[in-house]
Amino acid sequence: MTQENGLIKCLIWDLDNTLWQGTLLEDGEVRLSDELRKVVVELDRRGVLQSVASRNDHDHAWERLEELGIAEYLILPRIGWGRKSDSVKEIIDELGFAESAVAFIDDQPYERAEVAHVLPQVRCYPAEEASSLTELPEFTPAMVTADASQRRAMYQARIRREADRAAYQGPDEDFLRSLGLEMEILRAGDEELARVEELTLRTSQMNATGIHYSQEALRAFIADPDHEVLVVTLEDRFGPHGAVGVILLERLAGAWRIKLLATSCRVVAFGVGAILLRWLGEGARKAGVHLIADFRSTERNRMMEIAYRFAGLTLEDCACLAAAGSVDGEDGVRQLHLVPAPQPAVTTMRVVAVDPADASVPAAEWTSALSEV
């Protein structure tokens, strides 16, 4: 297991003499080589998002990108006359990525140096390397998942969704209900393993331990009757969010242990983590067991710690911790504990979920069992 990776999530292109050949304001006509067109298409297929930070007239440049048939591949473009570092920072902030997951490519050494000075973790490449980017390991995921191949479309849907939210007049909960959100919590199979591994690899802000589990390790857990590997998907009226969460659960005699809970940072605003914890707590309550959660603090997962605390998981002694073979303190891992109680019903989305206590029960709609109390 590893805890970090060097994959690039987003590549930001300069335009003049980088993405295209020529200088738009001087040459009038610029050309996109077949070689670089293939690079753009291949990076898109691999799930690497692409954007633009260019000093140019916006309307003129964007019109040319559309004529070249390349505009659709570029999200959140920043085309204007400001500093490149400001443009790159704005793109990073809107995507919510770590700087180290972003790359910038430009033909001008000064522009690369300026970005590197202001944003030292952003990886900068000279334009001469553009045609060979797909050969570099940081642009080459171990496997291209179904979610990766549609990542750009999902982010474009997110942009439309956020624009709709900004224009919405009313409480946040009402807006969430208007989206028609549907979540599924299902057992992972061979087809989902690559995406589950990817989630443990790419997710840092909403990852309870920051630990990466390989497909081999996940497959072993799936084969173990005392473990569940669960994958969470989400969709709404704007389209699918894809796989947005993974749960690694161990069933013990007196407790359920959450070895890993990780959710994509792009669905934090929908309360996905809180709903998953509510669902797990309700399942444990019905099974008559306590809930234990492994947590290892990292530089970026403070939000996950808050979600655990808000769900009622705390540091406290209980016999079930000893029975579970506590790892408290090992590799910085702490074990949080909860005696489950009934929860309010979920009102912002429809949830279809399996029963973690019984693999023979098919997935069914879930809100909460509060009405049974």
Side-chain angles (χ1 to χ4, degrees), residues 309-328:
R309 300 291 189 181
F310 191 76
L313 286 150
T314 60
L315 286 168
E316 59 181 355
D317 291 330
C318 180
C320 71
L321 291 172
S326 174
V327 296
D328 203 43

Side-chain angles (χ1 to χ4, degrees), residues 276-301:
L276 292 177
L277 287 170
R278 190 184 302 181
W279 172 74
L280 286 165
E282 185 60 35
R285 187 185 72 85
K286 289 174 63 178
V289 297
H290 292 183
L291 199 62
I292 300 169
D294 291 359
F295 181 81
R296 186 178 70 89
S297 181
T298 70
E299 293 180 356
R300 292 180 55 81
N301 69 351

Side-chain angles (χ1 to χ4, degrees), residues 166-180:
Y168 188 84
Q169 300 294 318
D172 284 347
E173 284 201 5
D174 289 349
F175 174 73
L176 292 178
R177 282 190 281 268
S178 78
L179 290 176

Side-chain angles (χ1 to χ4, degrees), residues 10-30:
C10 178
L11 172 64
I12 301 174
W13 293 89
D14 170 49
L15 294 178
D16 292 335
N17 295 309
T18 302
L19 180 57
W20 59 42
Q21 297 173 354
T23 303
L24 185 63
L25 293 180
E26 295 176 3
D27 303 331
E29 283 297 319
V30 293

Side-chain angles (χ1 to χ4, degrees), residues 231-303:
V231 61
V232 183
T233 61
L234 189 70
E235 65 177 306
D236 62 27
R237 59 184 171 89
F238 288 96
H241 296 256
V244 298
V246 56
I247 301 167
L248 175 56
L249 188 71
E250 182 181 14
R251 285 187 296 266
L252 302 163
W256 287 357
R257 177 186 172 192
I258 308 171
K259 287 188 172 180
L260 174 69
L261 172 60
T263 66
S264 172
C265 60
R266 69 178 187 271
V267 295
V268 169
F270 304 135
V272 167
I275 290 173
L276 292 177
L277 287 170
R278 190 184 302 181
W279 172 74
L280 286 165
E282 185 60 35
R285 187 185 72 85
K286 289 174 63 178
V289 297
H290 292 183
L291 199 62
I292 300 169
D294 291 359
F295 181 81
R296 186 178 70 89
S297 181
T298 70
E299 293 180 356
R300 292 180 55 81
N301 69 351
R302 174 64 176 162
M303 285 195 299

Side-chain angles (χ1 to χ4, degrees), residues 16 66 117 138 141 158 229 268 274 306 318:
D16 292 335
E66 290 180 325
H117 175 73
E138 59 265 37
R158 190 186 89 172
V229 180
V268 169
I306 292 171
C318 180

Side-chain angles (χ1 to χ4, degrees), residues 103-166:
F104 172 66
I105 186 165
D106 196 296
D107 66 307
Q108 295 294 322
Y110 166 80
E111 301 289 9
R112 298 195 302 271
E114 192 266 331
V115 169
H117 175 73
V118 178
L119 304 166
Q121 295 186 65
V122 171
R123 281 173 270 186
C124 297
Y125 299 81
E128 293 80 13
E129 296 184 15
S131 61
S132 61
L133 291 178
T134 54
E135 300 171 14
L136 300 177
E138 59 265 37
F139 292 94
T140 309
M143 180 176 292
V144 178
T145 65
D147 276 8
S149 63
Q150 61 175 343
R151 184 164 290 124
R152 168 175 52 89
M154 290 192 292
Y155 270 86
Q156 288 169 329
R158 190 186 89 172
I159 293 167
R160 295 193 299 272
R161 187 181 300 113
E162 290 178 352
D164 198 49
R165 182 170 196 156

